[in-house]
Amino acid sequence: MNIIKADETYIAKTYARAPFLAESGHGARIIDAEGKEYIDLGSGIGVNVFGACDPPWIAAVEAQLHKLQHLSNLYYTAPQAELAEMLCMRTGFKKIFFANSGAEANECAIKSVRKYSNEKYAPGRSTIITLENSFHGRTMATLSATGQTDMHVHFGPFLNGFKYAPANDFATLKTLCDGTICAIMLELIQGESGVNPLDENYVKQIAEFCQEQDILLIIDEVQTGNGRTGSLYAYQHYGIMPDLITTAKGLAGGLPLGCAMLGEKLSNTLTPGSHGSTFGGNPIAAAGAISILSRLDEPLFAEVKRKGNYIRAQLTDAKGIKNITGIGLMLGIETEKDAKFLSLECLKHGIIVLTAKNKLRLLPPLNISDKELAIAMQILKGVLAE
Ligand SMILES: Cc1ncc(COP(=O)(O)O)c(C=O)c1O
């Protein structure tokens, strides 16, 4: 079978695929169909937290596969309860809703804050402020929340009840708060639009304002979560406690799992029948997530920071680079040449590098070795200098 031909013929063209047919992998190495090995600086898009075919994760997933692959959410299963307890204990959130993806986790967030506000105030208090250049998913509600007009072409009409504010401008955000606002939703590092962290002071001002006004603060940690920035969740760097965070991507280390974590105010908002999912919190995905989460500890976070600093030190002042942004192992590199072109050149030279808008984006497995990083940096610097 010609896989690329079959893919091009039968799969909807929603992805501009790179000319690369992956076959297998181990750790931060991915092997293509011809047996050529690549160093992976993308881990999917921040999904394979401990790289490809991570042995403890395989063991945890396999053990659950032999017990039970699925049961309706109308019954109790151990991995889901165990994972929810771990997440609450590690964060201080009170309740978890499990979904299958980032967009679905954000759907839950949108419904939860609206229900809270509708019940406590009036149905009109249901607008959510998000930021310009944000990305919250591709379902209709999360696309409505996404503050990128170019992504809105073709898909209207959109959901009412979203307003977009420019990032890092607290005065303008405040002027949008007219009594109809139930929540503010932020990515602390805008990932898809170029790995741009929000200013700490701006985030703290918003958190304080939300507290005063009983406006709920949602932090979208779909990309920043699960150790990626050198803390379990990125909000922990900012010294705030949101009312709700969402996460997905790395949560189950490569299996589809997302969740919304609900704080004190929202802990009783979701009631039977108000929300649900057939697969959300599936036992196999939950078992994978327990294996990942149990290894996301302080020594690992210190390593993430150290490796992030190493990459920065290697690339700062390197030829062809204008600027580096990001935290931990979530890095954006502004380059002199076109980022898409450079990512394809990287592939030819044996490293997998992502892009985000006009930047290269690095989201390597958190356990990438120093040797692999050193080789990858040599290759990347070579490509950038060409
Ligand atoms: C911040 C953020 N939110 C939401 C999503 C959507 O996640 P998913 O593709 O799992 O639906 C993404 C995906 O890139 C993301 O980066």
Side-chain angles (χ1 to χ4, degrees):
M1 182 189 189
N2 182 327
I3 291 170
I4 293 180
K5 194 161 166 235
D7 183 301
E8 297 280 323
T9 308
Y10 297 112
I11 294 183
K13 294 202 184 302
T14 55
Y15 308 102
R17 295 207 206 278
F20 175 68
L21 175 55
E23 188 152 292
S24 62
H26 53 92
R29 309 272 178 154
I30 303 288
I31 294 132
D32 75 8
E34 264 107 55
K36 183 178 167 193
E37 211 171 71
Y38 299 75
I39 296 178
D40 180 15
L41 300 180
S43 48
I45 302 182
V47 169
N48 296 338
V49 174
F50 293 115
C53 300
D54 161 47
W57 175 87
I58 291 180
V61 168
E62 200 182 348
Q64 185 58 41
L65 266 172
H66 289 287
K67 282 190 193 161
L68 181 68
Q69 82 276 30
H70 170 82
L71 197 69
S72 161
N73 275 320
L74 296 172
Y75 306 100
Y76 299 101
T77 51
Q80 205 180 105
E82 198 182 318
L83 176 60
E85 182 180 39
M86 282 171 90
L87 289 168
C88 288
M89 291 299 150
R90 298 277 305 264
T91 58
F93 286 97
K94 303 293 178 205
K95 291 271 188 335
I96 308 293
F97 174 81
F98 287 112
N100 307 288
S101 66
E104 284 182 48
N106 285 337
E107 290 276 342
C108 174
I110 292 165
K111 285 178 71 175
S112 300
V113 295
R114 285 187 168 176
K115 186 163 185 282
Y116 170 89
S117 191
N118 282 343
E119 284 173 346
K120 188 164 174 184
Y121 299 96
R125 193 182 181 276
S126 54
T127 298
I128 299 171
I129 297 178
T130 67
L131 296 187
E132 289 170 7
N133 295 316
S134 58
F135 182 76
H136 297 294
R138 292 177 185 275
T139 59
M140 283 310 298
T142 59
L143 192 56
S144 303
T146 292
Q148 299 192 46
T149 37
D150 55 336
M151 294 184 74
H152 286 186
V153 182
H154 303 308
F155 301 115
F158 289 92
L159 240 68
N160 286 332
F162 290 95
K163 286 185 182 175
Y164 314 104
N168 296 320
D169 177 353
F170 182 62
T172 302
L173 183 134
K174 247 175 120 173
T175 64
L176 298 177
C177 296
D178 58 2
T180 66
I181 307 300
C182 67
I184 296 173
M185 182 169 179
L186 310 169
E187 293 162 89
L188 292 173
I189 307 172
Q190 295 190 321
E192 294 303 303
S193 65
V195 195
N196 297 311
L198 296 182
D199 295 343
E200 190 174 330
N201 197 34
Y202 169 70
V203 172
K204 284 197 164 125
Q205 280 177 312
I206 292 178
E208 225 168 87
F209 179 70
C210 284
Q211 190 70 30
E212 282 163 24
Q213 305 286 322
D214 196 19
I215 291 172
L216 298 166
L217 180 58
I218 306 170
I219 302 296
D220 177 342
E221 298 247 17
V222 169
Q223 196 162 148
T224 53
N226 312 303
R228 175 60 45 198
T229 67
S231 63
L232 188 55
Y233 293 102
Y235 77 84
Q236 292 159 332
H237 291 299
Y238 282 77
I240 57 163
M241 186 60 200
D243 295 294
L244 192 165
I245 68 168
T246 56
T247 193
K249 289 198 185 291
L251 180 60
L255 287 169
L257 184 67
C259 76
M261 304 190 211
L262 308 156
E264 188 75 55
K265 285 185 182 178
L266 290 161
S267 59
N268 295 314
T269 301
L270 295 177
T271 46
S274 60
H275 199 47
S277 163
T278 296
F279 288 116
N282 166 276
I284 295 163
I290 291 167
S291 160
I292 299 291
L293 195 57
S294 62
R295 287 177 283 154
L296 296 178
D297 54 14
E298 289 305 326
L300 192 268
F301 300 150
E303 279 291 277
V304 169
K305 288 176 197 151
R306 183 183 66 77
K307 288 172 191 174
N309 289 339
Y310 170 78
I311 295 176
R312 279 176 176 275
Q314 286 291 309
L315 299 182
T316 303
D317 301 329
K319 221 173 148 206
I321 290 185
K322 288 190 190 162
N323 189 20
I324 306 172
T325 55
I327 307 179
L329 285 175
M330 178 172 180
L331 296 167
I333 305 163
E334 199 182 341
T335 52
E336 280 162 12
K337 288 192 188 146
D338 176 64
K340 199 88 223 163
F341 165 79
L342 289 171
S343 75
L344 292 173
E345 285 301 298
C346 283
L347 209 48
K348 282 186 202 158
H349 288 82
I351 53 171
I352 300 174
V353 174
L354 303 167
T355 60
K357 286 274 165 5
N358 62 341
K359 290 188 189 172
L360 294 178
R361 173 171 41 159
L362 307 185
L363 302 170
L366 305 185
N367 62 342
I368 188 168
S369 71
D370 287 352
K371 190 173 166 212
E372 285 161 338
L373 259 188
I375 298 168
M377 287 306 111
Q378 276 315 110
I379 296 174
L380 182 55
K381 283 194 282 186
V383 168
L384 287 162
E386 267 172 16

